[in-house]
């Protein structure tokens, strides 16, 4: 058991994690399970809060790992725990005081310290090392709760393919993001336009009923598509008239 906040409790049994929220109904206080997920063929030895996320100490009988999950069960980081031989997984204990402070793991003969890094800093490191798949997975898991993380990961992931003219591959990367803020769409339009690939991303812009972006995003796309008449006609043929300024 571990408290994620004053009214949110995380629980584990075997490989299953459940997150419950305590709510008050009249004179009673009850717990409602809001999230639950299975960590696979492992046994969870400990849980700790990690801001709005969750750290889990897991063992598969041969090795032990410290893994970070979103509340919905998306895994975005894992590191193997280097313990000496003879240390039983059930003898390990995980503890932490706050997300920005070190996390401690103790065993019969060892005391390990894990420093949890800022997730935005970690995303930048992944991008610099060209580990784009991991960066995108991180953005999809926790990007919505960290200002700027999803935006940076998206633009930096698109950059190499757009600059090399691999527009279809860049669009496939776009489709991997679960959610994109309007400013990210706008900067992506500029990025494609400068490389001569604007028609490709214009066809990727979400429209109702799937999603509706602010009018300025569609207006920006139309303004730039003036130089691409065939693409302009294509988008106007299926874009609802209500989503852009006439």
């Amino acid at each position: 058991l571990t408290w994620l906040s004053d009214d949110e409790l995380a629980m584990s049994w075997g490989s299953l994690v459940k997150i419950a929220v305590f709510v008050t109904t009249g004179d009673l206080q009850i717990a409602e399970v809001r999230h639950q997920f299975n960590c696979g063929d492992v046994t969870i030895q400990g849980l700790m809060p990690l801001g709005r996320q969750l750290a889990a100490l897991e063992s598969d009988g041969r090795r032990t790992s410290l893994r970070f999950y979103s509340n919905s069960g998306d895994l975005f980081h894992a590191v193997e725990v280097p313990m000496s031989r003879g240390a039983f997984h059930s003898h390990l204990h995980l503890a932490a005081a706050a997300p920005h402070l070190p996390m401690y793991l103790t065993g019969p003969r060892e005391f390990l310290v894990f420093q949890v890094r800022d997730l935005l800093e970690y995303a930048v490191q992944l991008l610099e090392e060209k580990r784009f798949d991991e960066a995108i997975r991180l953005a999809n898991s926790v990007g919505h709760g960290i200002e700027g993380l999803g935006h940076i990961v998206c633009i930096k992931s698109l950059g190499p393919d757009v600059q090399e003219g691999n527009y279809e591959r860049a669009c496939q990367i776009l489709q991997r993001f679960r959610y994109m803020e309007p400013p990210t769409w706008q900067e992506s339009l500029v990025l494609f336009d400068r490389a001569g690939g604007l028609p490709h991303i214009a066809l990727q812009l979400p429209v109702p009923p799937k999603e509706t972006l602010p009018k300025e995003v569609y207006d920006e796309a139309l303004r730039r598509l003036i130089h691409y008449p065939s693409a302009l006609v294509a988008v106007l043929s299926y874009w609802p008239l209500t989503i852009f300024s006439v």
Side-chain angles (χ1 to χ4, degrees):
L1 299 173
T2 187
W3 288 98
L4 302 181
S5 64
D6 291 341
D7 61 353
E8 198 171 23
L9 181 67
M11 305 159 281
S12 69
W13 178 265
S15 60
L16 183 66
V17 175
K18 293 189 177 186
I19 299 175
V21 173
F22 286 83
V23 295
T24 301
T25 304
D27 297 330
L28 299 176
Q29 190 172 50
I30 62 174
E32 295 181 354
V33 175
R34 298 287 177 87
H35 304 281
Q36 70 176 41
F37 56 91
N38 196 300
C39 296
D41 191 19
V42 297
T43 299
I44 299 172
Q45 306 291 347
L47 293 175
M48 275 291 132
L50 189 66
R52 298 178 62 182
Q53 289 77 48
L54 188 66
L57 181 66
E58 304 175 358
S59 170
D60 64 2
R62 294 171 298 174
R63 59 178 60 90
T64 301
S65 299
L66 185 64
R67 296 188 175 189
F68 296 163
Y69 294 92
S70 68
N71 282 1
S72 58
D74 294 316
L75 174 67
F76 61 89
H77 184 63
V79 59
E80 188 170 343
V81 176
M83 301 298 291
S84 299
R85 294 181 179 179
F88 293 98
H89 308 295
S90 58
H91 293 166
L92 303 179
H93 299 279
L94 181 66
H100 62 283
L101 296 177
M103 188 172 293
Y104 300 96
L105 180 63
T106 62
R109 301 177 182 176
E110 288 141 318
F111 183 82
L112 302 182
V113 179
F114 292 86
Q115 178 62 60
V116 181
R117 298 178 57 187
D118 177 82
L119 291 178
L120 183 57
E121 178 186 344
Y122 179 53
V124 171
Q125 177 190 331
L126 292 176
L127 294 168
E128 290 176 346
E129 296 174 356
K130 301 188 184 302
R131 295 158 64 185
F132 298 115
D133 288 342
E134 293 177 64
I136 293 172
R137 185 165 64 246
L138 179 67
N140 283 336
S141 299
V142 300
H144 63 281
I146 302 174
E147 184 177 358
L149 191 151
H151 179 86
I152 292 173
V153 170
C154 181
I155 299 303
K156 293 295 185 181
S157 298
L158 293 176
D161 284 309
V162 173
Q163 292 167 8
E164 294 174 8
N166 299 323
Y167 305 126
E168 291 185 4
R169 176 175 167 79
C171 289
Q172 291 173 353
I173 292 174
L174 270 177
Q175 294 169 2
R176 294 178 59 187
F177 286 87
R178 294 180 180 175
Y179 177 72
M180 288 173 55
E181 297 282 351
T184 305
W185 279 112
Q186 289 179 300
E187 189 164 339
S188 298
L189 287 169
V190 174
L191 183 68
F192 273 76
D193 192 17
R194 288 176 176 171
L198 181 64
H200 291 80
I201 189 175
L203 297 173
Q204 298 295 321
L205 286 174
V207 297
K210 179 182 178 181
E211 182 183 349
T212 304
L213 298 172
K215 281 189 175 182
E216 51 264 29
V217 178
Y218 301 109
D219 290 346
E220 176 72 11
L222 293 177
R223 184 180 67 80
R224 292 177 177 273
L225 282 172
I226 291 175
H227 303 290
Y228 304 88
S230 58
L232 179 61
V233 172
V235 298
L236 289 175
S237 67
Y238 75 91
W239 280 10
L241 297 177
T242 56
I243 66 174
F244 57 89
S245 303
V246 178

